Amino acid sequence: MFNYVFRRILQMIPTVFGVILITFVLFNVVGGSPALMTLGRHVSPQMLEEFDEIRGFNKPLILGLWAETRTYEVSDFKRNAGPWREVDGVTHHPDTDRDHSHIILAPDMEYAIPLAFPPRAGTSFRWTLEYRLSSDGSASFIYDKPESEENDISFKKRRIDIPYSDRWRKITLPFNAGEQPDELNMRLTVEGAPIEIMAMELERRADHILDSQFVFFIRQLARMDLGTSHVTNQPVTRMIREGIGPSLKLTVPIFFVGLFMAISLSLICAFYRNSMMDRMFIVLAVALMSINYLVWIVVGQYLLAYQLGWFPVWGFETITYLALPIIIGVISGLGTDLRFYRTVMLDEMYKEYVRTAFAKGMGRGGVLFKHVLKNAMITVITNIIIAIPFLYTGSLLLESFFGIPGLGYMGIEAINSSDVDVIRAIVLIGAVLYVAANLLTDICYAWVDPRVQLK
Amino acid sequence: METKENILLEVKDLRVHFGDEHDPVRAVDGISFSIHKGETSALVGESGCGKSVTAMALARLVPQPPGIYAGGEIYYYGNDVLKMSARRLRQMRGNDISYVFQDPSASLNPVFRIGYQIGEVLHLHRRGLNIRNESIELMRLVGIPDPANRLDSYPHELSGGMQQRVMIAMALACRPKLLVADEPTTALDVTIQAQILELLASLQQRLGMAVLLITHNLGLVAGMAHRIHVMYSGRIVESGFAEDVLLHPRHPYTRGLLNAVPRLNGVEGRLEGIEGNVPNPRDMPSGCKFHPRCPYRREVCIEREPADEEVREGWLSRCHFWREL
Amino acid sequence: MTTHAIHRDKQTGKSLWADAWSRLRHNRLAMFCLLVVILYTGVAMYGEIVYRWHQWHDVTPPYQRTNMELQYLPPSFLLSPFAVDDGEEVSSLKQAVTGISNLMRHPLGTDGLGRDVFQRMIQGTRIAYMVGIVTSLIALPIGVVLGCMAGYFGRRVDDFIVWIYTTFASIPGLLFILAIAMVVGQGLLGVYLGIGLTMWVGLCRLIRGEVIKHKERPYVTAAHALGLGHFRIIFRHILPNVFHVVIVSFTLFFPAAISTEVFLSFLGIGVEGEPSWGIMISNARLRLWHGIWWEMAAATTALFFIVLAFNLLGDAIRDALDPRLRTGK
Ligand SMILES: Nc1ncnc2c1ncn2[C@@H]1O[C@H](COP(=O)(O)OP(=O)(O)O)[C@@H](O)[C@H]1O
Ligand SMILES: [Mg+2]
């Protein structure tokens, strides 16, 4: 028994890992920049960088040392001079071959490099430069790096030379931002002849090779930290803890009332199988399940709450506020459940042990309620347990329509405001619960079905 | 022997159909036979010829849809089973007529202990008995070792042979007048088959009940049955005393079945079945249903279905040419 | 069980499919549902033509034409023709006539921007079908190929594919779809991917189970003995025998995809600027509270009947195809 559970828990690990991987791929890889998605294009690069910094999005993806930074807007000058647009002495040279378009920096000038914001303190960077520089000229990055000696701050001039090359050449030039990077004041001096630049990129160095988004994410999860909502600025774990109560208050009654009704009706169907009543229930069930969930909610709220005034329309104050959502939840799910349990019951009805029970002289009721139901219970119980994770996620629509501050409501709000951390957390927890519920089902299976043994 | 008092159950022109009324599958299409007190009868035929349906019909056990009792009567002590009240029927099932089915592992309810399942029959028909002791007694009767401990086993914890013994114990619980054993050994290992048949034979003698043994293997019934009914495509094509039918079959189908029995003692023993398959019930041949496979087929067989013809008293054949066989 | 069935059917010269079709044809409800599905398909195609035509000619299609004067017109069958008589003056009679003909142009009334609800409903059908078809084209191949491979090759391949689909199955469905749609963005593409990439799991699981059953069958052994390649065996020999699973899955999948699209559009993820049923419901929701019900009614009824038809048809097809369940009816 213990061995079995232990082994099943081990087997859960790949699945949980898979779920983590999928959420990671979904939000960190596919989604482009979560910061942009969340905050939009109208905020300063510095704010985006802060967003990324908090969430580890400014690190290399899985492995690596160098990651993009928003300090300098990456530009390949294909269309225009990019960040250099406003800088005096810089001209954009469009080439017939778009890939060879470049900017030209006139000689004998010093250019302040158009950084979006000062680089972060104490970090290493590197420039990647694709350029052309004739032998007549020279160019170098120059920056004043403040160095404090006791109370005295002095500036040391640092210089990185760019070697000349009359063909397009790519080099990387590492440098260190000091303790007070706003004093960094980085410039590019060009002497003798112009320098032509085809691409220019600034990358930030991660602390070590494992200092990546993925590791950051895993470590965050290991700390049971699910991130921070950028909308409410609250830790997501706290939001979830607050939301789960209202969600359960809604979903648990829906689930059990629905289950009870579905099983009772399915037993009636099985008892009177192939009769008029059975057929009527089946048509009813299919009709019920063909009505969209949305329609149940919209029309139910309009008719029962607004028109007839039987229930409150919106809010979460007393129990009465839950009544209508629960009714709608039960009815909208009833069709599917009834059909499912009827199939389960009828499947059992055609088993051979049922014939034996009849041959013993048992009545239909006895066969149904004793023999069939006990066998069907195996399926019912597994189904109950597997539903647990869905109880947790709450009901997205019901909650947001009726203003029940649960996880479903939170989820919809998060989707609307692109609150990455919240969605990611709800998805993750839901998945982990599902995996756990699966384990629990297997154990319960062995518990209710004598044929199954945990080995 | 052929007196009315000796007859326990009489089936007259029974018809059981499946599916919708307009285009039914005629699984049992007008069969008549009787079962005598204390006798063993055998119902023999290939798979799909309607043996199980016939057997189930005896206690009106064919599920109703999809089954339809399309005609005929089944007299049990003068009462028509097909017209009985549900209450009377329940009293009869398991008490007067009981069943042993083909696949014991599927026929026992997997989630109840076997003690409970045996006791259930007693609980239904014999209130007031000490059910536990009685169950142990029954299990001893059918040769289950260590019955007191076995009571608490689940069916899957027993071997196939033991499961079938449990089925038999259940069937015998109320000392029925008729035990219907529907291919009781088909699902079992060959070695176990003989044991179970032996058990049935000895119990039949000891308890003096009638047994209807259903099988597709004529060889099995040779030593056991008093009477044999050979079924083909929902009809009885030959019926009579075992020695007559087995030694001088008067229907080509019976011959074919006999040839299909592997003879272990004979040197020339070879497995010779009947060519072809049982006809599709949705697509029955004209005339004699056996004609497409019959080596003695003639024109008339295709045109006209033969009627029951009496070979001798109590020996019927449904072949135009039974005389020539 | 099935080999037997197929075997026997071959003898009588009837394939499993022909057999199922003949059974289906006798089911009047199923035939009616099939008719409804065909009707919707026709409407969707008409919608597509209208859409393309207007795009080609670069004119605003009627379902986008706003006209504030015709705001909130009720369905024309509700308008009494005698209403014209109220216009006493002769000059206004003409006005009334044009008014009436205007009204007749909107059989199901207009919405808050004076757009024709009927036309929008047709476009909604078009979008629903697009979603149903495209997501099926994404999900069914993934499910079939992965399911076949897992079932056929077993071992490592099986472990890997089972791992993938357990992982996918673990993630709460609707949220997963929402998240994918949100991350991918870009209107319908996000919807396609969201639904398509999550809904293959069930089919994959079913196909895998069926293939495992068939792998041991004599005909597969025979194919091996003939030295046929794995892919030939999978796709030419096994797949046709398990294809009924795909058909049944499709009939369940299609209405589910349509419903999900409605849901996503309703939430404002998905189609933009085009009249999906979800958007119609979303727009009509608040107007419903002012007693303007026809837009809501149009979208929900259209949605209801297609989903119902597919559900009933799916049941009938399953009953006709699955020999095990045949006795059940
Ligand atoms: N539940 C059922 N539904 C439909 N047809 C059935 C059912 N049970 C039996 N039949 C039909 O009755 C025929 C005879 O079946 P059965 O009596 O079980 O044969 P057997 O002689 O092998 O016991 C079968 O060919 C089948 O077509
Ligand atoms: Mg049988």
Side-chain angles (χ1 to χ4, degrees):
Chain A
M1 169 76 191
F2 176 77
N3 267 341
Y4 173 82
V5 174
F6 185 71
R7 224 186 43 236
R8 282 288 280 117
I9 290 178
L10 280 189
Q11 280 169 5
M12 279 165 57
I13 292 175
T15 314
V16 172
F17 179 75
V19 170
I20 292 175
L21 204 63
I22 286 184
T23 39
F24 178 76
V25 168
L26 190 59
F27 291 103
N28 292 45
V29 183
V30 181
S33 162
L36 272 182
M37 198 161 69
T38 311
L39 302 175
R41 298 196 169 271
H42 307 295
V43 292
S44 70
Q46 194 155 9
M47 280 177 71
L48 294 174
E49 177 78 12
E50 258 169 46
F51 181 94
D52 284 349
E53 172 67 26
I54 294 173
R55 291 165 179 81
F57 285 134
N58 58 352
K59 296 176 186 297
L61 206 55
I62 292 178
L63 280 180
L65 271 180
W66 297 99
E68 267 178 38
T69 167
R70 295 180 194 275
T71 311
Y72 171 82
E73 183 192 332
V74 186
S75 177
D76 51 12
F77 309 124
K78 271 184 191 150
R79 273 203 205 95
N80 53 41
W84 294 88
R85 271 174 306 240
E86 315 271 281
V87 183
D88 278 341
V90 176
T91 49
H92 181 244
H93 176 85
D95 200 287
T96 38
D97 180 1
R98 275 264 294 278
D99 288 342
H100 282 161
S101 300
H102 54 263
I103 51 169
I104 303 167
L105 272 60
D108 302 321
M109 276 179 75
E110 198 172 73
Y111 300 92
I113 294 178
L115 293 181
F117 52 89
R120 203 149 61 91
T123 340
S124 301
F125 292 87
R126 72 175 181 197
W127 284 108
T128 305
L129 213 57
E130 203 172 350
Y131 69 100
R132 201 153 62 174
L133 181 63
S134 67
S135 53
D136 301 341
S138 69
S140 45
F141 284 106
I142 293 174
Y143 56 106
D144 307 322
K145 195 173 174 192
E147 275 172 15
S148 56
E149 286 160 16
E150 290 172 17
N151 293 330
D152 207 18
I153 297 176
S154 66
F155 291 92
K156 281 247 171 79
K157 211 170 199 167
R158 296 288 171 109
R159 177 188 184 100
I160 318 172
D161 286 329
I162 301 172
Y164 78 83
S165 160
D166 45 9
R167 291 211 261 115
W168 289 117
R169 175 173 174 193
K170 201 169 185 169
I171 55 158
T172 50
L173 307 164
F175 73 98
N176 238 315
E179 294 305 318
Q180 260 121 6
D182 30 333
E183 307 285 349
L184 187 70
N185 190 14
M186 191 157 210
R187 300 171 315 269
L188 183 66
T189 61
V190 184
E191 276 153 31
I195 181 171
E196 294 162 88
I197 302 177
M198 200 157 77
M200 195 169 165
E201 190 186 2
L202 182 65
E203 283 169 307
R204 198 172 62 87
R205 193 180 197 279
D207 291 345
H208 47 82
I209 192 145
L210 285 177
D211 181 22
S212 66
Q213 294 187 25
F214 192 62
V215 175
F216 182 90
F217 182 44
I218 298 278
R219 285 178 53 180
Q220 199 184 11
L221 288 178
R223 288 198 310 270
M224 306 293 269
D225 174 6
L226 291 169
T228 312
S229 156
H230 86 92
V231 177
T232 60
N233 266 327
Q234 281 182 356
V236 176
T237 29
R238 190 157 99 218
M239 292 171 68
I240 287 184
R241 228 178 302 129
E242 282 165 9
I244 198 153
S247 271
L248 291 182
K249 275 186 197 144
L250 179 64
T251 50
V252 171
I254 290 181
F255 180 68
F256 284 103
V257 174
L259 188 74
F260 176 76
M261 287 182 66
I263 290 182
S264 319
L265 291 179
S266 71
L267 281 172
I268 293 179
C269 282
F271 194 89
Y272 298 106
R273 70 190 140 146
N274 282 310
S275 69
M276 228 15 232
M277 173 135 70
D278 177 28
R279 247 169 258 144
M280 203 185 70
F281 271 134
I282 275 311
V283 170
L284 193 73
V286 178
L288 283 186
M289 63 187 263
S290 301
I291 297 178
N292 198 282
Y293 199 45
L294 266 177
V295 177
W296 282 117
I297 296 178
V298 169
V299 174
Q301 190 178 34
Y302 169 70
L303 275 184
L304 301 180
Y306 179 76
Q307 280 283 341
L308 299 173
W310 291 351
F311 303 98
V313 175
W314 201 91
F316 182 65
E317 282 155 38
T318 54
I319 287 293
T320 49
Y321 283 82
L322 279 173
L324 183 58
I326 288 176
I327 291 175
I328 291 177
V330 168
I331 291 186
S332 62
L334 191 60
T336 321
D337 284 357
L338 172 56
R339 234 164 65 113
F340 175 78
Y341 287 114
R342 179 181 171 273
T343 319
V344 171
M345 300 294 168
L346 282 186
D347 267 359
E348 291 297 329
M349 286 297 274
Y350 287 101
K351 296 259 172 82
E352 286 182 36
Y353 69 80
V354 172
R355 188 174 64 178
T356 312
F358 278 120
K360 281 177 179 176
M362 283 192 105
R364 203 142 56 145
V367 173
L368 193 64
F369 285 98
K370 216 188 255 169
H371 288 260
V372 169
L373 195 58
K374 181 141 188 208
N375 278 277
M377 267 306 158
I378 298 171
T379 319
V380 173
I381 288 179
T382 25
N383 225 44
I384 292 178
I385 293 167
I386 221 64
I388 292 175
F390 299 99
L391 299 184
Y392 139 84
T393 17
S395 167
L396 294 174
L397 271 195
L398 273 179
E399 288 180 17
S400 60
F401 264 81
F402 288 97
I404 296 161
L407 293 184
Y409 188 90
M410 217 167 95
I412 294 275
E413 291 286 293
I415 295 269
N416 281 336
S417 55
S418 300
D419 199 340
V420 175
D421 289 65
V422 174
I423 300 169
R424 196 166 68 177
I426 298 182
V427 166
L428 257 177
I429 294 184
V432 172
L433 280 180
Y434 181 85
V435 175
N438 251 322
L439 166 71
L440 214 58
T441 335
D442 284 358
I443 295 173
C444 281
Y445 210 74
W447 173 56
V448 288
D449 188 343
R451 282 164 298 183
V452 179
Q453 236 131 40
L454 303 182
K455 268 195 235 112
Chain B
M1 238 184 139
E2 286 295 295
T3 53
K4 270 271 182 237
E5 295 90 81
N6 264 337
I7 290 180
L8 178 68
L9 190 109
E10 190 176 8
V11 178
K12 280 187 176 164
D13 195 33
L14 177 68
R15 287 159 200 278
V16 185
H17 297 174
F18 284 99
D20 61 322
E21 284 144 50
H22 314 294
D23 181 24
V25 170
R26 297 167 199 272
V28 173
D29 202 11
I31 68 172
S32 310
F33 65 96
S34 25
I35 294 171
H36 296 249
K37 287 178 188 159
E39 258 186 28
T40 302
S41 318
L43 196 57
V44 188
E46 282 168 288
S47 264
C49 68
K51 305 182 300 289
S52 297
V53 175
T54 309
M56 306 266 282
L58 298 186
R60 220 162 90 194
L61 276 174
V62 179
Q64 214 176 356
I68 305 157
Y69 294 98
E73 292 108 40
I74 300 170
Y75 286 109
Y76 178 75
Y77 279 115
N79 294 321
D80 187 354
V81 173
L82 299 184
K83 297 206 175 68
M84 244 175 221
S85 73
R87 203 181 132 83
R88 176 77 193 86
L89 195 63
R90 282 207 303 275
Q91 284 168 1
M92 196 187 76
R93 291 173 179 167
N95 195 6
D96 298 305
I97 301 183
S98 59
Y99 283 83
V100 174
F101 295 110
Q102 176 171 345
D103 180 1
S105 63
S107 298
L108 290 167
N109 193 328
V111 299
F112 289 104
R113 297 174 199 279
I114 61 173
Y116 178 83
Q117 298 194 47
I118 296 176
E120 200 172 36
V121 193
L122 295 166
H123 181 76
L124 284 166
H125 301 292
R126 298 277 186 277
R127 292 273 163 102
L129 276 184
N130 183 335
I131 289 182
R132 193 180 156 83
N133 288 348
E134 192 68 14
S135 305
I136 293 177
E137 205 44 53
L138 279 165
M139 287 165 81
R140 195 165 291 140
L141 182 71
V142 298
I144 297 175
D146 192 12
N149 283 332
R150 285 291 183 214
L151 275 182
D152 292 329
S153 305
Y154 283 100
H156 73 274
E157 292 165 350
L158 304 182
S159 68
M162 283 299 144
Q163 288 175 344
Q164 196 61 298
R165 284 171 198 266
V166 173
M167 283 296 290
I168 296 174
M170 256 159 63
L172 296 181
C174 301
R175 306 294 139 102
K177 307 249 170 16
L178 172 62
L179 174 72
V180 181
D182 186 355
E183 311 214 19
T185 59
T186 311
L188 304 178
D189 286 349
V190 191
T191 44
I192 314 284
Q193 289 188 0
Q195 291 177 15
I196 294 288
L197 280 178
E198 240 163 65
L199 176 70
L200 280 174
S202 78
L203 286 170
Q204 193 259 333
Q205 255 154 31
R206 199 147 23 127
L207 305 176
M209 64 196 167
V211 172
L212 178 65
L213 179 66
I214 295 173
T215 174
H216 57 258
N217 184 351
L218 256 184
L220 284 187
V221 303
M224 267 185 87
H226 301 108
R227 278 167 216 268
I228 293 180
H229 309 284
V230 181
M231 264 190 98
Y232 188 75
S233 275
R235 292 156 182 76
I236 288 186
V237 293
E238 180 169 10
S239 77
F241 290 106
E243 50 272 33
D244 293 336
V245 173
L246 290 175
L247 294 179
H248 314 286
R250 291 296 188 172
H251 195 284
Y253 182 61
T254 319
R255 286 206 161 184
L257 285 181
L258 276 169
N259 281 337
V261 176
R263 254 161 277 166
L264 296 172
N265 47 353
V267 191
E268 83 279 46
R270 68 204 158 101
L271 242 170
E272 186 187 307
I274 311 164
E275 301 256 309
N277 283 331
V278 187
N280 183 344
R282 292 204 170 273
D283 190 18
M284 280 289 180
S286 63
C288 174
K289 305 302 167 227
F290 187 57
H291 84 253
R293 304 168 68 191
C294 182
Y296 309 99
R297 170 187 47 213
R298 293 188 211 162
E299 204 62 17
V300 63
C301 301
I302 302 172
E303 285 158 10
R304 195 162 50 83
E305 181 159 17
D308 278 333
E309 291 186 40
E310 198 159 58
V311 179
R312 198 192 301 153
E313 205 199 339
W315 187 358
L316 299 173
S317 169
R318 242 178 203 247
C319 178
H320 292 300
F321 304 105
W322 62 267
R323 274 171 244 272
E324 295 164 34
L325 288 171
Chain C
M1 157 195 80
T2 331
T3 15
H4 197 72
I6 289 172
H7 201 72
R8 198 190 310 142
D9 288 340
K10 266 196 185 134
Q11 271 194 337
T12 55
K14 243 186 185 181
S15 76
L16 181 69
W17 296 102
D19 202 31
W21 170 242
S22 78
R23 240 190 299 274
L24 201 60
R25 228 182 23 208
H26 290 296
N27 184 339
R28 244 182 292 154
L29 183 64
M31 282 299 108
F32 183 72
C33 291
L34 188 64
L35 201 73
V36 172
V37 168
I38 291 172
L39 184 78
Y40 269 83
T41 315
V43 169
M45 269 156 38
Y46 168 76
E48 179 69 21
I49 292 169
V50 169
Y51 170 76
R52 293 271 166 221
W53 192 89
H54 287 94
Q55 211 181 34
W56 178 256
H57 293 267
D58 202 16
V59 284
T60 318
Y63 53 88
Q64 299 287 39
R65 227 169 275 151
T66 57
N67 184 346
M68 292 320 255
E69 283 167 23
L70 298 179
Q71 209 180 2
Y72 297 135
L73 285 185
S76 50
F77 59 82
L78 285 184
L79 293 170
S80 153
F82 303 110
V84 193
D85 294 343
D86 293 344
E88 293 272 355
E89 294 166 42
V90 186
S91 59
S92 69
L93 184 67
K94 200 175 157 197
Q95 220 174 358
V97 168
T98 48
I100 267 293
S101 72
N102 265 341
L103 291 182
M104 293 306 283
R105 261 193 245 141
H106 303 294
L108 294 183
T110 57
D111 70 358
L113 295 173
R115 297 173 299 193
D116 182 49
V117 170
F118 184 65
Q119 297 270 2
R120 290 174 72 75
M121 193 176 82
I122 290 175
Q123 288 302 311
T125 315
R126 176 188 134 241
I127 288 176
Y129 261 72
M130 296 243 294
V131 170
I133 290 169
V134 176
T135 52
S136 301
L137 287 179
I138 298 173
L140 298 186
I142 298 181
V144 169
V145 170
L146 289 187
C148 281
M149 301 223 315
Y152 182 80
F153 291 110
R155 294 160 197 270
R156 290 278 163 75
V157 180
D158 189 34
D159 288 345
F160 182 67
I161 292 172
V162 169
W163 173 67
I164 295 183
Y165 80 57
T166 356
T167 304
F168 270 79
S170 308
I171 300 177
L174 202 52
L175 266 176
F176 196 24
I177 295 175
L178 282 171
I180 295 181
M182 181 191 97
V183 163
V184 175
Q186 310 184 3
L188 269 179
L189 182 68
V191 175
Y192 294 151
L193 290 178
I195 300 175
L197 291 180
T198 48
M199 298 251 235
W200 56 271
V201 176
L203 176 65
C204 180
R205 189 180 287 165
L206 286 176
I207 292 267
R208 172 178 171 270
E210 285 292 308
V211 171
I212 287 176
K213 270 193 240 155
H214 276 263
K215 199 170 64 168
E216 306 299 331
R217 295 272 164 84
Y219 75 91
V220 178
T221 324
H224 274 299
L226 286 175
L228 299 184
H230 291 313
F231 282 89
R232 205 181 158 79
I233 293 177
I234 295 179
F235 291 108
R236 296 293 296 276
H237 293 258
I238 299 182
L239 189 57
N241 278 304
V242 302
F243 204 72
H244 60 278
V245 178
V246 183
I247 302 280
V248 173
S249 291
F250 173 75
T251 54
L252 298 177
F253 182 88
F254 200 91
I258 290 179
S259 307
T260 311
E261 187 273 328
V262 167
F263 186 81
L264 294 181
S265 310
F266 179 84
L267 291 178
I269 296 167
V271 281
E272 276 151 25
E274 282 185 56
S276 142
W277 289 333
I279 288 186
M280 287 174 75
I281 293 176
S282 159
N283 288 342
R285 181 167 93 87
L286 293 176
R287 291 173 201 151
L288 185 65
W289 297 50
H290 303 292
I292 295 155
W293 50 267
W294 42 91
E295 193 181 1
M296 183 61 119
T300 54
T301 320
L303 175 62
F304 172 69
F305 281 109
I306 186 66
V307 173
L308 182 66
F310 258 106
N311 280 335
L312 290 174
L313 190 63
D315 276 3
I317 290 179
R318 189 179 40 205
D319 285 347
L321 275 173
D322 189 343
R324 196 180 66 89
L325 290 173
R326 270 176 208 168
T327 45
K329 265 238 146 171

